[in-house]
Amino acid sequence: MRVVISFLAGSLFGIGLLISGMTDTTKVQGWLDLFGQWDPTLAFVMAGAILPMLVAWRLTSNRRPLTGGRFPQKAAPELDRQLIFGSVLFGMGWGLVGLCPGPALASLGYGGVGGIVFLIAMIVGMVAAPTLGAQLDRAANAA
């Protein structure tokens, strides 16, 4: 049952990304081009994702998932060096390429070689991040 629910939720998410234009790199880069030809349409996509999630957090506070276990607790807001550094890297990649992990996976079916190269680079970055983070932490503590 859990696999079926996961498949349906993932499919719905991917279809939503396709319909909303989040897999169109030029549309995403237009959204990020605040001082050029800014395209505000993705603001509606983001609001359409954030607002239902706010409601979902409220509704699930005292409930259990259909497949057992528990819903994850809302993370405590913590602004640290890792979050800032990761956010900067994420934003740089998003701005340069126009894709982030979800849309990158959703666009694999039609993204051509560029989508595959992005996915490989993303996986390499995810694998390398813990090692690089530990090295940065050691360097910061030594300074």
Side-chain angles (χ1 to χ4, degrees):
M1 180 66 145
R2 187 178 192 139
V3 172
V4 172
I5 292 172
S6 297
F7 177 78
L8 291 174
S11 297
L12 181 63
F13 181 67
I15 291 168
L17 290 172
L18 289 169
I19 291 171
S20 68
M22 290 291 291
T23 58
D24 179 359
T25 58
T26 57
K27 188 169 204 59
V28 172
Q29 288 171 330
W31 155 253
L32 296 170
D33 188 7
L34 296 176
F35 302 109
Q37 293 187 322
W38 185 57
D39 180 0
T41 55
L42 289 184
F44 297 106
V45 174
M46 290 184 185
I50 292 170
L51 294 175
M53 197 62 220
L54 290 172
V55 173
W57 277 113
R58 295 280 185 206
L59 293 177
T60 60
S61 62
N62 294 320
R63 295 184 179 188
R64 291 188 159 299
L66 292 174
T67 57
R70 296 189 163 278
F71 288 112
Q73 294 297 313
K74 192 174 175 183
E78 184 179 330
L79 191 63
D80 61 1
R81 185 172 36 87
Q82 287 182 325
L83 177 64
I84 293 169
F85 186 66
S87 298
V88 168
L89 288 177
F90 178 90
M92 287 169 47
W94 198 32
L96 288 170
V97 180
L99 288 172
C100 61
L105 290 174
S107 69
L108 278 180
Y110 68 86
V113 175
I116 294 169
V117 169
F118 177 82
L119 182 68
I120 292 168
M122 183 178 72
I123 291 170
V124 168
M126 289 176 171
V127 170
T131 303
L132 292 173
Q135 289 176 351
L136 288 172
D137 287 341
R138 282 193 296 274
N141 292 334

